[in-house]
Amino acid sequence: MSRAALLLLADGRFPAGGHAHSGGVEAAVAHKAVHDIETLEAFCRGRLHTTGLTTAGLAAATAAGCDPLMLDDAADARTPVPALRAVARRLGRQMMRAARATFPSAELDRLAAERPQGAHQPIVQGLAVRSAGLTPQEAASAAAYETVGGPATAAVRLLSLDPLDASRLLARLSTETDAVAAAAADAAARVATEGLDALPSASSPLLDITAEQHAAWTVRLFAS
Amino acid sequence: MSSASQLAESRAPFDPAAPAAGTEETCGHPNSVRATARIRATYNGRVTTLPQLRSDGPFHLRRMRTSGKAARVGIIGAMSAPLGGDRLALDITAEDRAELDVTTAAATLALRGPTTAPATYDVRLTAEEHARLRWLPQPLISAADSNLHQTYTVKLAASSRLLLREEQILGRANEKPGHLVSRIRVHHAGRPLLDQHTAYGDPAPGWDGPAILHGHRAVGQLLVVAPELDVRRAPVLLREGTKDGCAVLAPLAGGPALLATAVAPTPSALRELLDEALRHALGE
């Protein structure tokens, strides 16, 4: 299908609820680990190569036609803290509603029926990409970009950073983002022969720990 | 480098003339070591016995005295390993109803060795029905310029129990860490329970940044799997900030299991956090 379909799915204005999440940057700001554009870039780079690679692999494998329910279990095994599993499923549910309205398909309907509380967001995203007639590589690109775009936008609001600096940061990371998406798509292509173990499971201890800390806050600007 | 060649010479006698069964790939260096040590524990109706206790290469296995029905094995480092290019594996199985504790006598130190090629260190843990396996090694230290790829492949039967502790220390005192890549995959009753991959030390991108370690040099996990953990539990947070180290203990989705993840500035702070997490996990 059209390239515009990919832009629509990857657009922050696509009504899938992503704007309410900071991708861990709100906790990092509270711990003073992220306080300016340089530390934000380091944060985004770390998230891209961990969460970004893993979610892009899951999205690409779903877009390639792997069983979404098995991928949903694989996503659970790659998400060891309940706070992040809950966020992934909530975002998955919201994306499902938007995806079924924009790119309806029997596969989306089936997953929605089998996971009424929401499947992991990259699984739904991958299936939406597939329903839009796009490729696994494009699913990986959308997922990888989102893992840095979300925190960069959130940090602008949290730290009153210059949005132009944040855009420049995302442009600087674009080559790395493409490389992560390509690695994820390669891994997804190997699932047919090697099984789900071929998918990346890159993880970060601090993102897991601080996500649970953040979920316990009583007052916060972002949901995660 | 003279020290490296001396090391290589001193290791030569240990280089097995006939490679261990099942390791056919070529090594990265003529002096590199390939070794697979094996432990198999069975239950004879009264106590746990060790029908297989096969030392190999750097792994010298020693049966240790225990009281009760469990068996206990200590792994003693018989040479400096892993060095670049080494291919090391540990295969540990607790068969039906066996109770096995395995520890290491000292920290495992990954060093550069005669080549910068990665060393591999594969730990395979299997616990069959009603078996109990405890893997509590001393920390793994990634020394400057070392390059180690570690894997854990854990297979657990539905009624088995596991306690696994893993501590990684990035660099000795005031030293840059080497490159340490590890992947842990745990299956419980045939389903994926945990799959994680970490990469620390240059050239891993972003490893020391605010999203991954943020200056911490000790990172570890504690995994507890037991049938009775199949109840809803709230996550436990240890330490509020992140500067002096922090941890979370939380249930996994794919089975009756709790995982503690901890980061700390020092090895002792890490051990404290994991000990505290274990007390919470056991409900003490």
Side-chain angles (χ1 to χ4, degrees):
Chain A
M1 217 179 163
S2 75
R3 183 157 297 167
L6 177 65
L7 296 175
L8 172 60
L9 279 169
D11 189 338
R13 287 162 294 188
F14 187 66
H19 63 278
H21 297 263
S22 81
V25 95
E26 184 170 29
V29 166
H31 292 311
K32 312 248 182 317
V34 169
H35 48 82
D36 57 13
I37 207 76
E38 284 75 30
T39 47
L40 176 61
E41 181 166 344
F43 180 92
C44 289
R45 176 169 288 112
R47 188 163 195 260
L48 173 66
H49 289 276
T50 53
T51 309
L53 179 62
T54 303
T55 57
L58 290 165
T62 315
C66 298
D67 177 4
L69 295 179
M70 285 180 68
L71 288 166
D72 201 48
D73 286 348
D76 263 347
R78 286 160 172 75
T79 318
V81 292
L84 290 179
R85 289 196 294 270
V87 165
R89 293 195 182 280
R90 196 178 321 138
L91 283 171
R93 199 167 62 234
Q94 287 172 291
M95 174 158 275
M96 178 62 87
R97 198 173 52 195
R100 286 170 89 186
T102 41
F103 303 106
S105 78
E107 286 178 322
L108 281 170
D109 292 346
R110 203 175 313 133
L111 181 61
E114 276 163 339
R115 288 284 184 276
Q117 301 304 309
H120 277 259
Q121 194 255 9
I123 315 297
V124 181
Q125 188 179 35
L127 213 50
V129 164
R130 184 174 165 83
S131 301
L134 297 161
T135 64
Q137 170 75 54
E138 288 167 315
S141 292
Y145 175 70
E146 195 177 279
T147 54
V148 288
T153 310
V156 167
R157 290 166 64 186
L158 289 162
L159 291 167
S160 306
L161 297 175
D162 185 341
L164 298 178
D165 288 339
S167 297
R168 204 154 41 230
L169 178 164
L170 290 174
R172 269 200 302 275
L173 283 176
S174 61
T175 310
E176 267 177 82
T177 308
D178 288 351
V180 163
D186 279 355
R190 293 200 310 273
V191 169
T193 50
E194 295 173 25
L196 292 177
D197 284 352
L199 290 179
S201 58
S203 67
S204 149
L206 264 183
L207 288 178
D208 287 342
I209 298 168
T210 58
E212 278 304 334
Q213 291 178 340
H214 183 268
W217 294 3
T218 46
V219 180
R220 54 184 185 233
L221 198 55
F222 290 91
S224 77
Chain B
M1 226 168 104
S2 66
S3 65
S5 61
Q6 278 162 14
L7 255 179
E9 272 166 39
S10 71
R11 287 155 54 85
F14 294 96
D15 198 22
T23 53
E24 277 127 36
E25 53 189 304
T26 53
C27 292
H29 190 273
N31 286 109
S32 63
V33 173
R34 55 176 90 182
T36 301
R38 295 176 203 278
I39 304 170
R40 191 160 58 84
T42 59
Y43 180 62
N44 67 6
R46 204 170 48 82
V47 291
T48 300
T49 61
L50 298 168
Q52 188 175 38
L53 196 61
R54 180 182 186 267
S55 299
D56 193 15
F59 303 116
H60 178 72
L61 308 182
R62 181 180 286 179
R63 189 187 316 246
M64 293 160 84
R65 199 197 307 257
T66 53
S67 54
K69 61 176 266 214
R72 193 173 161 82
V73 175
I75 300 176
I76 296 160
M79 66 168 82
S80 179
L83 308 186
D86 288 354
R87 301 277 178 271
L88 307 179
L90 272 175
D91 218 326
I92 301 172
T93 300
E95 296 185 347
D96 285 4
R97 296 185 188 278
E99 294 189 8
L100 175 64
D101 294 352
V102 186
T103 58
T104 59
T108 301
L109 180 63
L111 291 165
R112 179 188 182 276
T115 159
T116 53
T120 63
Y121 182 14
D122 300 319
V123 181
R124 295 184 283 267
L125 304 174
T126 304
E128 298 182 353
E129 296 295 346
H130 303 285
R132 197 206 69 196
L133 179 57
R134 295 203 291 191
W135 167 249
L136 297 168
Q138 295 301 316
L140 170 67
I141 303 168
S142 171
D145 301 318
S146 68
N147 187 358
L148 179 64
H149 290 203
Q150 187 185 35
T151 65
Y152 273 98
T153 308
V154 185
K155 290 196 165 28
L156 304 173
S159 59
S160 67
R161 290 153 190 281
L162 174 81
L163 175 58
L164 176 153
R165 185 186 62 214
E166 165 69 8
E167 295 165 305
Q168 299 183 335
I169 310 303
L170 303 172
R172 293 167 292 192
N174 304 314
E175 174 187 68
K176 274 182 67 171
H179 187 51
L180 178 58
V181 176
S182 33
R183 184 164 189 184
I184 179 166
R185 272 175 302 180
V186 184
H187 279 81
H188 180 265
R191 283 190 64 199
L193 179 66
L194 178 66
D195 189 336
Q196 283 192 301
H197 186 271
T198 55
Y200 305 130
D202 296 335
W207 70 274
D208 203 20
I212 303 185
L213 286 183
H214 197 226
H216 290 298
R217 286 293 175 271
V219 54
Q221 291 189 316
L222 185 86
L223 174 63
V224 189
V225 185
E228 67 270 16
L229 292 177
D230 205 9
V231 289
R232 259 188 116 74
R233 281 219 196 194
V236 178
L237 290 165
L238 305 177
R239 314 274 195 281
E240 280 302 305
T242 61
K243 198 169 155 283
D244 302 319
C246 53
V248 63
L249 174 76
L252 296 178
L258 293 170
L259 178 76
T261 302
V263 295
T266 62
S268 57
L270 177 69
R271 179 63 66 90
E272 251 173 59
L273 283 165
L274 292 179
D275 283 349
E276 201 176 327
L278 181 60
R279 286 195 294 275
H280 281 285
L282 300 178
E284 284 170 14

Tab-separated table of all heavy atoms in Angstrom, chain B residues 201-227:
chain	number	residue	atom	x	y	z
B	201	GLY	N	29.774	-2.387	28.456
B	201	GLY	CA	31.161	-2.113	28.083
B	201	GLY	C	31.252	-1.787	26.603
B	201	GLY	O	30.478	-2.303	25.793
B	202	ASP	N	32.219	-0.927	26.230
B	202	ASP	CA	32.370	-0.574	24.821
B	202	ASP	C	32.609	-1.840	24.010
B	202	ASP	O	33.270	-2.752	24.500
B	202	ASP	CB	33.546	0.397	24.666
B	202	ASP	CG	33.271	1.710	25.399
B	202	ASP	OD1	32.083	2.033	25.578
B	202	ASP	OD2	34.244	2.379	25.791
B	203	PRO	N	32.086	-1.937	22.780
B	203	PRO	CA	31.364	-0.914	22.019
B	203	PRO	C	29.838	-0.985	22.130
B	203	PRO	O	29.159	-0.496	21.232
B	203	PRO	CB	31.794	-1.246	20.590
B	203	PRO	CG	31.899	-2.743	20.593
B	203	PRO	CD	32.342	-3.128	21.989
B	204	ALA	N	29.289	-1.558	23.185
B	204	ALA	CA	27.824	-1.606	23.308
B	204	ALA	C	27.278	-0.174	23.376
B	204	ALA	O	27.706	0.603	24.223
B	204	ALA	CB	27.437	-2.385	24.560
B	205	PRO	N	26.351	0.188	22.495
B	205	PRO	CA	25.867	1.575	22.466
B	205	PRO	C	25.010	1.922	23.684
B	205	PRO	O	24.112	1.169	24.041
B	205	PRO	CB	25.045	1.650	21.174
B	205	PRO	CG	24.757	0.246	20.778
B	205	PRO	CD	25.742	-0.654	21.446
B	206	GLY	N	25.336	3.058	24.301
B	206	GLY	CA	24.480	3.603	25.359
B	206	GLY	C	24.544	2.877	26.700
B	206	GLY	O	23.805	3.216	27.616
B	207	TRP	N	25.461	1.902	26.829
B	207	TRP	CA	25.421	1.030	28.015
B	207	TRP	C	25.608	1.783	29.327
B	207	TRP	O	25.046	1.409	30.348
B	207	TRP	CB	26.456	-0.086	27.907
B	207	TRP	CG	27.883	0.388	28.017
B	207	TRP	CD1	28.662	0.848	27.001
B	207	TRP	CD2	28.675	0.454	29.202
B	207	TRP	NE1	29.891	1.205	27.480
B	207	TRP	CE2	29.936	0.973	28.827
B	207	TRP	CE3	28.454	0.125	30.549
B	207	TRP	CZ2	30.968	1.180	29.749
B	207	TRP	CZ3	29.476	0.340	31.459
B	207	TRP	CH2	30.715	0.850	31.052
B	208	ASP	N	26.387	2.865	29.301
B	208	ASP	CA	26.654	3.572	30.559
B	208	ASP	C	25.759	4.794	30.740
B	208	ASP	O	25.908	5.541	31.690
B	208	ASP	CB	28.129	3.985	30.614
B	208	ASP	CG	28.600	4.191	32.045
B	208	ASP	OD1	27.947	3.660	32.961
B	208	ASP	OD2	29.613	4.893	32.235
B	209	GLY	N	24.834	4.987	29.818
B	209	GLY	CA	23.987	6.171	29.847
B	209	GLY	C	22.829	6.043	30.819
B	209	GLY	O	22.669	5.013	31.489
B	210	PRO	N	22.008	7.124	30.893
B	210	PRO	CA	20.922	7.167	31.881
B	210	PRO	C	19.827	6.133	31.671
B	210	PRO	O	19.046	5.888	32.584
B	210	PRO	CB	20.372	8.590	31.740
B	210	PRO	CG	20.839	9.076	30.412
B	210	PRO	CD	22.122	8.363	30.111
B	211	ALA	N	19.755	5.510	30.490
B	211	ALA	CA	18.693	4.514	30.271
B	211	ALA	C	19.142	3.111	30.657
B	211	ALA	O	18.311	2.223	30.763
B	211	ALA	CB	18.239	4.527	28.814
B	212	ILE	N	20.438	2.889	30.838
B	212	ILE	CA	20.863	1.494	31.056
B	212	ILE	C	21.576	1.310	32.404
B	212	ILE	O	21.047	0.664	33.291
B	212	ILE	CB	21.714	0.977	29.872
B	212	ILE	CG1	20.886	1.109	28.571
B	212	ILE	CG2	22.113	-0.482	30.103
B	212	ILE	CD1	21.521	0.551	27.334
B	213	LEU	N	22.754	1.871	32.599
B	213	LEU	CA	23.440	1.659	33.889
B	213	LEU	C	23.717	2.952	34.654
B	213	LEU	O	23.904	2.918	35.865
B	213	LEU	CB	24.761	0.898	33.685
B	213	LEU	CG	24.617	-0.592	33.384
B	213	LEU	CD1	25.995	-1.234	33.286
B	213	LEU	CD2	23.792	-1.302	34.453
B	214	HIS	N	23.790	4.065	33.940
B	214	HIS	CA	23.995	5.358	34.579
B	214	HIS	C	25.113	5.330	35.616
B	214	HIS	O	24.947	5.740	36.771
B	214	HIS	CB	22.682	5.834	35.227
B	214	HIS	CG	22.713	7.299	35.538
B	214	HIS	ND1	22.295	7.817	36.735
B	214	HIS	CD2	23.146	8.341	34.807
B	214	HIS	CE1	22.461	9.123	36.736
B	214	HIS	NE2	22.974	9.469	35.569
B	215	GLY	N	26.265	4.825	35.213
B	215	GLY	CA	27.431	4.863	36.092
B	215	GLY	C	27.577	3.685	37.023
B	215	GLY	O	28.630	3.508	37.636
B	216	HIS	N	26.542	2.875	37.166
B	216	HIS	CA	26.670	1.712	38.049
B	216	HIS	C	27.616	0.688	37.441
B	216	HIS	O	27.718	0.551	36.233
B	216	HIS	CB	25.297	1.090	38.308
B	216	HIS	CG	24.425	1.951	39.160
B	216	HIS	ND1	24.761	2.295	40.450
B	216	HIS	CD2	23.264	2.581	38.908
B	216	HIS	CE1	23.831	3.076	40.949
B	216	HIS	NE2	22.909	3.281	40.029
B	217	ARG	N	28.327	-0.018	38.319
B	217	ARG	CA	29.307	-0.990	37.837
B	217	ARG	C	29.015	-2.410	38.321
B	217	ARG	O	29.806	-3.320	38.088
B	217	ARG	CB	30.720	-0.564	38.293
B	217	ARG	CG	31.259	0.628	37.512
B	217	ARG	CD	31.522	0.249	36.058
B	217	ARG	NE	31.932	1.379	35.235
B	217	ARG	CZ	31.109	2.177	34.579
B	217	ARG	NH1	29.796	1.977	34.640
B	217	ARG	NH2	31.567	3.167	33.836
B	218	ALA	N	27.913	-2.580	38.995
B	218	ALA	CA	27.522	-3.910	39.456
B	218	ALA	C	26.052	-4.097	39.123
B	218	ALA	O	25.225	-3.233	39.425
B	218	ALA	CB	27.751	-4.045	40.960
B	219	VAL	N	25.740	-5.186	38.466
B	219	VAL	CA	24.360	-5.420	38.042
B	219	VAL	C	24.051	-6.901	38.240
B	219	VAL	O	24.919	-7.754	38.038
B	219	VAL	CB	24.162	-4.943	36.585
B	219	VAL	CG1	25.172	-5.551	35.640
B	219	VAL	CG2	22.755	-5.249	36.068
B	220	GLY	N	22.854	-7.184	38.698
B	220	GLY	CA	22.575	-8.580	38.999
B	220	GLY	C	21.102	-8.914	38.991
B	220	GLY	O	20.235	-8.033	38.940
B	221	GLN	N	20.863	-10.220	39.039
B	221	GLN	CA	19.497	-10.709	39.044
B	221	GLN	C	19.374	-11.889	39.990
B	221	GLN	O	20.346	-12.610	40.233
B	221	GLN	CB	19.088	-11.170	37.650
B	221	GLN	CG	18.969	-10.020	36.683
B	221	GLN	CD	18.352	-10.440	35.374
B	221	GLN	OE1	18.705	-11.467	34.830
B	221	GLN	NE2	17.438	-9.640	34.882
B	222	LEU	N	18.182	-12.058	40.457
B	222	LEU	CA	17.872	-13.208	41.293
B	222	LEU	C	16.547	-13.746	40.767
B	222	LEU	O	15.563	-13.007	40.684
B	222	LEU	CB	17.723	-12.752	42.743
B	222	LEU	CG	17.510	-13.847	43.755
B	222	LEU	CD1	18.852	-14.401	44.201
B	222	LEU	CD2	16.767	-13.298	44.965
B	223	LEU	N	16.539	-15.008	40.386
B	223	LEU	CA	15.321	-15.602	39.844
B	223	LEU	C	14.883	-16.732	40.762
B	223	LEU	O	15.667	-17.639	41.064
B	223	LEU	CB	15.588	-16.134	38.435
B	223	LEU	CG	14.455	-16.911	37.759
B	223	LEU	CD1	13.231	-16.029	37.539
B	223	LEU	CD2	14.927	-17.482	36.418
B	224	VAL	N	13.652	-16.649	41.217
B	224	VAL	CA	13.092	-17.687	42.086
B	224	VAL	C	11.874	-18.277	41.379
B	224	VAL	O	10.950	-17.539	41.026
B	224	VAL	CB	12.636	-17.101	43.447
B	224	VAL	CG1	12.272	-18.226	44.407
B	224	VAL	CG2	13.710	-16.213	44.045
B	225	VAL	N	11.909	-19.560	41.140
B	225	VAL	CA	10.765	-20.225	40.517
B	225	VAL	C	10.322	-21.340	41.452
B	225	VAL	O	11.141	-22.151	41.898
B	225	VAL	CB	11.145	-20.827	39.142
B	225	VAL	CG1	9.911	-21.412	38.451
B	225	VAL	CG2	11.800	-19.779	38.255
B	226	ALA	N	9.042	-21.355	41.788
B	226	ALA	CA	8.510	-22.395	42.678
B	226	ALA	C	7.004	-22.468	42.471
B	226	ALA	O	6.361	-21.429	42.279
B	226	ALA	CB	8.821	-22.059	44.139
B	227	PRO	N	6.430	-23.681	42.504
B	227	PRO	CA	4.989	-23.812	42.227
B	227	PRO	C	4.124	-22.910	43.106
B	227	PRO	O	3.137	-22.360	42.632
B	227	PRO	CB	4.709	-25.295	42.516
B	227	PRO	CG	6.012	-25.985	42.350
B	227	PRO	CD	7.067	-24.991	42.741
